[in-house]
Amino acid sequence: MAEFTETLSNTNISSGVIHQTVRKELDSINLFRESKIDRKDIEIIQNTYVGDKQRKGKRYKTMWDFTIITKWAEAAHDMTDPQILQRRALILTMIFGAFRPAELERMRSYTTIFKDNSVQTQVRTKMSGNKVIKIIINKHPNPRIDAVEALQRWMYYTKTTFKDEHVWFDIEGSKPANLQRIKEELVAVLRENGIPDTFTAKSIRQAVITYLARQEGADWKAINAYARWAQGSRVAQEYYTMLPVQDIKWILETIGRQVPQMGEDNKPDKSGESKDRRLEKANSEMKDCTEKTSETG
């Protein structure tokens, strides 16, 4: 029983749940014992191994500067390169949709619909269990880090190249990307920007939330809505480095602040081979793409 209690105490389960689980286990054991285990002895064990245990906090003691990625997203990139186009769309979609990598993998083209100033998609999230929820990403005032346009560009390319319901692809293998491949694409951007190996793809979401929480005048209600936590959740305050805005608009205005202007050298390269020309066509027909995507779902 002591080992069982200690094992539970090393998990991310709250002390209340642990105490309740141990008590139920004790009652079950006592049903088959002639000499019953004294509940007081178990309480001593619980206080020794659990006490007033709280949930474990963030995995990292420090967090990398999120603006590294926004600067990367709008820096000099060859927008005719499919791999760069996908990585940029992946990163920005993850940032502005507060996606986890597994949720990105569940995106499908037929449930991803573009509107005038937003894109909406439907995925099964970590917190919703088997329930499918709608996630809406609004256009960013800074077009160079606009997730809506980046995703639209990428999906137009995939529709004419892969012709598959998936959104993300293993470009080299010309097949849908599994979760591991998506993580590898995200991590590749982190490493390219000098972010240490200790940080995984999941740290992107945490870096964004940490960045928002550190802002002067941070709005916890807005942060909880962004991260899809309960309205009164204190996860951000307790586990992300803290701070009080009115709505999601604040998040759009906060993310991307103090990002350098795009220079002449950063304009897309209009030369290339057949795959590049397909991308150029996607760029030139962006306005028509919205209606086409909405009609096809």
Side-chain angles (χ1 to χ4, degrees), residues 251-268:
I251 288 176
L252 290 176
E253 293 173 346
T254 302
I255 294 178
R257 184 180 295 160
Q258 297 179 342
V259 180
Q261 296 293 315
M262 188 175 189
E264 289 296 316
D265 293 338
N266 297 329
K267 292 182 178 179

Side-chain angles (χ1 to χ4, degrees), residues 154-186:
W154 170 246
M155 287 186 64
Y156 187 82
Y157 172 74
T158 62
K159 284 177 63 178
T160 58
T161 305
F162 298 109
K163 298 179 175 63
D164 188 280
E165 65 182 28
H166 288 76
V167 174
W168 313 109
F169 291 85
D170 179 340
I171 297 175
E172 294 181 0
S174 298
K175 59 184 180 181
N178 58 22
L179 177 58
Q180 182 58 36
R181 185 61 182 174
I182 288 174
K183 289 181 178 179
E184 289 173 356
E185 292 296 300
L186 292 167

